[in-house]
Amino acid sequence: MSEIIDGNATAKSIHQELKDELSKLNFGRPPCVAFIRVGEDPASVSYVKKKGKVAAEIGIESRLHVLPETTEQNELDALIDKLNGDETVDAILVQAPLPKQLNERRTFNRVRADKDVDGFSNANLGLLCQEDPQAFVACTPAGIAELLKRSGVKTAGKKAVIIGRSLIVGKPMALLLSKKGSDATVTVCHSKSENLAEICSQADILIAAVGRPNTVSADMVKEGACVIDVGINRIPSSETKSGYRLVGDVDFKSVSPKCSKITPVPGGVGPMTVAMLMRNTLSAYKRHMAERKI
Ligand code: NAD
């Protein structure tokens, strides 16, 4: 039977580490992250709420800006510009997905690189490509890398297969795992990949970030592999009050007996994404304070 990688417990330890670190700093004001949410998408409402709660627990101030669903790009840009110029704001997070009339790439690039704690801007993705330690790394891939490290999963020389090539997960994950120090041999699969099962079955580390339940079945997993399930899918359920339950992209029941380690959904990658957002915010704060030489 595989070991279940406990993302909740790992994230909690990181929150405590950040809290301890923060308690030793004395810069005259707490770190501050600004959240921008456009519209009332229930998942976004709940993610931003969770991020604000964790920030408060650590001692990070958060300011929530809610814009209406009908917000135009120039209005969103104006708010980002204002926060970019606000010396009391260290970090800015624009919660995706955005309504259709808004351009996500343009929006991510509008955020000043030194406040882009999501790491989605050209500048930070470029720095990651160059293996520059100053890069803010996208929180989900950073969280997965941290989970692997803290769970004792070796990456050097190992075959890692990532299913999904998004800007948010797949692409930065590939950069992180292949960079010097991580040293994995990385294959990125996507919706047009042929022989997906065969490629996956060679992976020592298999990361699924597709957004479709049961994408990974037991026959696609090598005996003893480490499986990281990024997917968050809502499926109808008569057993819950909400009428749905969350599942990942991996068929947990059939895959878990075959692998050495596996992340559950929920309670795996999700909490680590939030922990890495807090870590990036603290880094942004320390950089800003150092620049002001306070
Ligand atoms: P996305 O829709 O941007 O990308 C999905 C990727 O899957 C694409 O690159 C696509 O080519 C690939 N794909 C689609 N169908 C496929 C198939 N049949 N075979 C192989 N590849 C296929 O999604 P995303 O933003 O990368 O998110 C992926 C999943 O991860 C979603 O369920 C999302 O909710 C979840 N997610 C979780 C966290 C977290 O913190 N746990 C963070 C971000 C995303």
Side-chain angles (χ1 to χ4, degrees):
M1 192 64 188
S2 63
E3 178 191 327
I4 300 204
I5 299 179
D6 188 342
N8 278 324
T10 311
K12 268 202 178 127
S13 313
I14 294 170
H15 300 163
Q16 190 57 50
E17 289 162 21
L18 297 175
K19 197 173 169 177
D20 292 347
E21 187 183 348
L22 188 54
S23 71
K24 292 184 196 117
L25 302 174
N26 187 10
F27 292 133
R29 69 157 176 86
C32 175
V33 56
F35 298 124
I36 303 177
R37 173 161 62 72
V38 186
E40 298 299 325
D41 170 59
S44 295
V45 171
S46 125
Y47 290 149
V48 171
K49 204 168 149 192
K50 173 76 186 165
K51 289 166 185 171
K53 188 169 169 271
V54 173
E57 281 164 17
I58 294 171
I60 295 173
E61 182 192 342
S62 64
R63 298 181 196 161
L64 173 60
H65 300 264
V66 181
L67 298 177
E69 186 79 32
T70 51
T71 299
E72 292 298 334
Q73 187 72 49
N74 59 347
E75 296 170 308
L76 177 56
D77 288 351
L79 174 58
I80 295 172
D81 290 348
K82 189 167 148 247
L83 297 170
N84 279 339
D86 186 337
E87 288 231 331
T88 65
V89 171
D90 298 296
I92 301 169
L93 179 135
V94 186
Q95 184 64 48
L98 292 170
K100 278 193 209 65
Q101 74 279 14
L102 299 171
N103 181 321
E104 285 194 352
R105 270 187 52 202
R106 171 173 160 174
T107 302
F108 296 150
N109 284 323
R110 192 91 185 182
V111 176
R112 224 171 76 178
D114 61 321
K115 299 191 179 193
D116 169 32
V117 283
D118 246 344
F120 299 152
S121 65
N122 291 342
N124 279 306
L125 280 164
L127 289 172
L128 175 61
C129 247
Q130 294 172 351
E131 305 192 3
D132 187 317
Q134 287 284 312
F136 283 122
V137 180
C139 299
T140 301
I144 294 168
E146 195 65 32
L147 259 191
L148 292 174
K149 196 162 112 193
R150 292 187 185 225
S151 311
V153 178
K154 299 262 176 298
T155 53
K158 300 294 177 193
K159 276 189 189 158
V161 173
I162 301 163
I163 322 178
R165 58 179 163 187
S166 73
L167 194 68
I168 289 172
V169 189
K171 280 196 177 77
M173 190 75 248
L175 290 170
L176 262 188
L177 284 175
S178 58
K179 75 171 190 168
K180 284 189 204 76
S182 301
D183 300 318
T185 304
V186 179
T187 305
V188 179
C189 299
H190 46 77
S191 53
K192 301 285 189 293
S193 294
E194 290 178 1
N195 307 325
L196 184 69
E198 191 192 321
I199 298 167
C200 291
S201 66
Q202 293 168 16
D204 300 304
I205 300 164
L206 179 60
I207 301 176
V210 175
R212 199 185 65 161
N214 298 321
T215 299
V216 176
S217 49
D219 59 304
M220 296 166 75
V221 177
K222 180 168 135 178
E223 198 79 46
C226 169
V227 177
I228 304 291
D229 193 351
V230 188
I232 302 178
N233 307 294
R234 285 179 179 213
I235 60 164
S237 169
S238 55
E239 287 157 29
T240 61
K241 233 164 70 184
S242 60
Y244 70 85
R245 68 187 176 95
L246 295 181
V247 296
D249 291 344
V250 175
D251 176 17
F252 187 89
K253 206 170 156 208
S254 74
V255 168
S256 59
K258 208 174 171 185
C259 52
S260 59
K261 294 175 198 271
I262 186 166
T263 58
V265 176
V269 174
M272 291 299 290
T273 299
V274 180
M276 293 300 106
L277 174 69
M278 300 303 142
R279 190 168 80 175
N280 284 350
T281 299
L282 193 59
S283 300
Y285 170 67
K286 287 193 292 184
R287 271 189 229 173
H288 290 147
M289 292 300 129
E291 281 160 16
R292 285 166 209 166
K293 300 194 172 46
I294 294 171

